[in-house]
Amino acid sequence: MGATQWTQVDDYLVERLLPADPVLENVLAESTKAGLPAINVSPAQGQMLNLFARMAGARRILEIGTLGGYSTIFLARAVPADGTVVTLEADAHHAQVAGANFQRAGVAGKVDLRVGRAIDTLPKLEAEGLGPFDFIFIDADKPSNPDYLAWALRLSRPGTVIVCDNVVRDGKVVNADGADANVAGVRRMLDLAGADPRLTATAVQTVGAKGYDGFALMMVE
């Protein structure tokens, strides 16, 4: 079994379990047209985030890494009408595309899009008193994952759910040589999560349309 079959299975599951969504399909098309890299979550992963956020009863969500806003829309649909998703994007062009996508999807009123390096924006969120967040999704530059986890803990409360994407990296996460900064960032984040008594954590390997990867799932105690 390889990538082609993984994608076929993903397509089958999406056809059976996710209703056709022209809005989200258009969001992906517009992101592609704007030249954004195709590194968004898959439809199945987006729906998983939506379900996780709803299971957590999330009203305030923090997303680190917006890209074209595809995952943000799944999260915005999970919060109630008076809920908020604060999403952080370093690239101004990506943020512009995402903002237009939020308008297309009808969720702009629930999304607070911040443009700038997340590591600079996160202290501002704390200063503004926007936390604690009920659900936090980390999907940005992997070398900064340890810092993002530290900030997620500062902006959380007991019961907050934290999801960190792309933690397996085609299995390279087991390489301890430190040559790949992305792998090193993931490994350090996992070490911190496993050693922190405030967190109960696990990680799951996945295969599908996005290849061989996985996500970490954590809850603040």
Side-chain angles (χ1 to χ4, degrees), residues 28-38 67 93-94 97:
L28 288 180
E30 291 297 323
S31 296
T32 300
K33 187 189 303 182
L36 271 60
L67 193 62
H93 175 58
H94 294 178
V97 174

Side-chain angles (χ1 to χ4, degrees), residues 68-149:
Y70 186 69
S71 56
T72 321
I73 293 167
F74 278 101
L75 293 171
R77 288 175 171 181
V79 298
D82 60 347
T84 303
V85 179
V86 179
T87 184
L88 314 182
E89 176 53 49
D91 187 293
H93 175 58
H94 294 178
Q96 183 180 29
V97 174
N101 283 335
F102 299 149
Q103 292 289 343
R104 291 186 185 94
V107 299
K110 294 197 284 187
V111 177
D112 180 357
L113 172 60
R114 305 292 182 101
V115 184
R117 294 172 66 244
I119 206 64
D120 299 325
T121 306
L122 288 162
K124 296 176 183 177
L125 301 185
E126 183 180 52
E128 292 174 29
L130 291 183
F133 292 94
D134 308 309
F135 186 92
I136 300 173
F137 179 45
I138 302 172
D139 189 15
D141 60 302
K142 309 313 171 189
S144 298
N145 271 356
D147 295 323
Y148 295 151
L149 179 61

